Amino acid sequence: PNGKYAYLGSGSGGDVMYAIDISNPAKPVVTDSVVSNTRRVNDVMTTADGRFLVFTREGASDRKNGIVVCSLEDPAHPKVIAEYTATVTAGVHSAFVYTQPKHGTHVYLTNDGTGAFHILDLNDPYHPKEVAVWKTPRPAFAQDVGRTLHDVDVQDGLAYLSYWNDGLVILDVGNGVKGGSPSNPVLVSQHKYDLNALYRDVEAVGGPGFIRGTHTAWRHKNYVFIADEVFPAGAVQGAKDAAAFRAYGRLQVVDVSDMTKPKSVAWYEPEMGGVHNIWVAGDTLYMGAYNGGFRAFDVSGELRGDLRAQAREMVHVHTADMEGVQRNTPMTWGVVVRDGLAYVNDMYNGLWIVRMEPPKSPKPKVLQ
């Protein structure tokens, strides 16, 4: 929150979270790291006041995953002060830390094992405790089969859950519209759509068994932006390496001016690349587009129809490097925006810091 330090996770076999001094964004410096029993530090978020940090764990050797809580008394050197594994030992893919004046600070978690939504009280960061669990209904015979919760966004006391096969779910966790609270989440609405029909071209290319689902969501004004994560079932036949592989997916714009009746009104689908994590600041949407690199879009005014056809794309950075894990191949995970800079994390090529020039300059300036 002070804009001087960034915290970076590691995936694809990573067991470390880095603290990075970004006071000079052109020369970021790693100041410390936290190594944990995990094969993936997927999600990292601090409290709003910057005093504490939470990161998620998946693939621990002792099968105790959950979350790790760190003190940021010295922001350059995070210190582990607590863990929570009891009810989310199967793994936590995403976590969101959110403070409400009435209810204090809570952590909103995904559960890899059951697809449930868990809420932990973090008002005492040294002793996090669970206060609620919620999950989409399933027939009795199916139990937890097929339920996957992938991501959580909480704004104004409303939780926007990206529920993969179950679409977008909106819960009242303190807003009051349905009398909900962190200890009593209440369903506001659900927006489901036919993923197989939407991405039938992906199956035609790569065969059945392709990956697709409601991956992430972000509330902005009267819209919720949904990003679908979509991958073909296998690698490109005959290709020598991952450079030939590509993601798919669509950014959907859902009108929630009536939250009880969400409706899809606009979309963006890249010609090449996928749609992964997003960030909205002002009237600009920033996107990690996997092998499509980093992109930014104008989302001002009323949004209707095909956004790509409306030439709303403002910036594109091909986050590839000849010294990357996969040479000259971007795999852009997402972006965080702070103080006019975009912090773009790429799975193959590390952290990129990008300053967008004013519109008169068509090319962004890459600082690192």
Side-chain angles (χ1 to χ4, degrees):
N2 66 12
K4 296 180 180 180
Y5 291 92
Y7 303 97
L8 184 67
S10 56
S12 304
D15 63 355
V16 60
M17 182 202 71
Y18 295 100
I20 305 173
D21 184 336
I22 53 171
S23 54
N24 179 357
K27 295 182 178 180
V29 178
V30 173
T31 59
D32 207 342
S33 62
V34 176
V35 176
S36 185
N37 184 357
T38 181
R39 291 180 177 87
R40 187 185 190 101
V41 179
N42 187 71
D43 208 2
V44 184
M45 189 171 182
T46 75
T47 54
D49 59 13
R51 296 177 59 201
F52 300 95
L53 174 149
V54 171
F55 69 81
T56 63
R57 298 195 303 197
E58 293 176 296
S61 62
D62 59 3
R63 300 187 181 183
K64 294 181 180 180
N65 289 288
I67 63 167
V68 176
V69 183
C70 295
S71 167
L72 297 179
E73 183 176 356
D74 181 350
H77 303 284
K79 178 182 177 182
V80 175
I81 59 170
E83 297 181 356
Y84 180 86
T85 62
T87 58
V88 285
T89 186
V92 176
H93 193 68
S94 298
F96 197 97
V97 184
Y98 184 72
T99 301
Q100 302 181 72
K102 183 177 179 180
H103 303 289
T105 302
H106 292 77
V107 187
Y108 301 83
L109 306 176
T110 67
N111 184 329
D112 291 356
T114 65
F117 173 52
H118 293 246
I119 303 177
L120 306 183
D121 187 324
L122 199 70
N123 288 297
D124 178 358
Y126 292 84
H127 302 94
K129 60 181 181 180
E130 185 171 275
V131 294
V133 178
W134 189 94
K135 52 188 176 183
T136 51
R138 281 282 185 276
F141 64 87
Q143 297 184 5
D144 294 329
V145 174
R147 185 195 297 109
T148 299
L149 174 58
H150 201 282
D151 201 10
V152 181
D153 176 48
V154 184
Q155 303 294 339
D156 298 322
L158 294 168
Y160 300 88
L161 310 185
S162 299
Y163 242 114
W164 206 251
N165 294 313
D166 290 323
L168 170 69
V169 172
I170 305 175
L171 298 181
D172 179 0
V173 292
N175 176 277
V177 66
K178 292 289 184 178
S181 68
S183 59
N184 179 40
V186 179
L187 178 66
V188 177
S189 61
Q190 183 174 5
H191 176 67
K192 292 183 69 172
Y193 45 99
D194 191 335
L195 287 154
N196 288 333
L198 188 60
Y199 299 112
R200 58 183 180 275
D201 291 347
V202 182
E203 183 172 7
V205 170
F210 67 102
I211 297 170
R212 84 293 179 276
T214 305
H215 168 270
T216 194
W218 186 292
R219 174 69 184 265
H220 177 66
K221 297 181 179 178
N222 283 330
Y223 298 113
V224 174
F225 295 97
I226 293 176
D228 288 346
E229 185 171 45
V230 183
F231 282 107
V236 177
Q237 289 188 349
K240 67 182 180 66
D241 57 38
F245 189 69
R246 66 155 295 184
Y248 295 82
R250 171 178 286 197
L251 177 79
Q252 299 186 62
V253 184
V254 179
D255 187 329
V256 289
S257 51
D258 180 352
M259 284 190 299
T260 65
K261 298 178 180 178
K263 58 180 180 180
S264 183
V265 294
W267 69 92
Y268 163 82
E269 195 162 341
E271 292 181 282
M272 183 63 178
V275 176
H276 197 234
N277 288 332
I278 60 175
W279 189 281
V280 182
D283 285 324
T284 305
L285 183 144
Y286 304 84
M287 175 191 296
Y290 274 137
N291 60 295
F294 163 62
R295 300 173 183 270
F297 305 87
D298 178 353
V299 290
S300 61
E302 184 179 28
L303 301 178
R304 294 291 185 271
D306 186 343
L307 302 184
R308 181 161 63 86
Q310 297 166 24
R312 286 179 175 265
E313 184 172 319
M314 302 161 59
V315 171
H316 176 212
V317 177
H318 192 70
T319 54
D321 194 294
M322 289 305 293
E323 297 179 0
V325 174
Q326 297 291 339
R327 290 166 60 91
N328 200 28
T329 305
M331 190 54 69
T332 313
W333 178 264
V335 55
V336 171
V337 177
R338 170 78 194 205
D339 298 333
L341 297 175
Y343 295 85
V344 182
N345 46 350
D346 190 289
M347 296 172 68
Y348 295 162
N349 304 292
L351 176 65
W352 292 56
I353 303 176
V354 179
R355 173 178 288 125
M356 290 176 55
E357 301 286 359
K360 63 181 180 180
S361 176
K363 295 181 180 180
K365 181 181 179 182
V366 176
L367 298 179
Q368 182 72 17

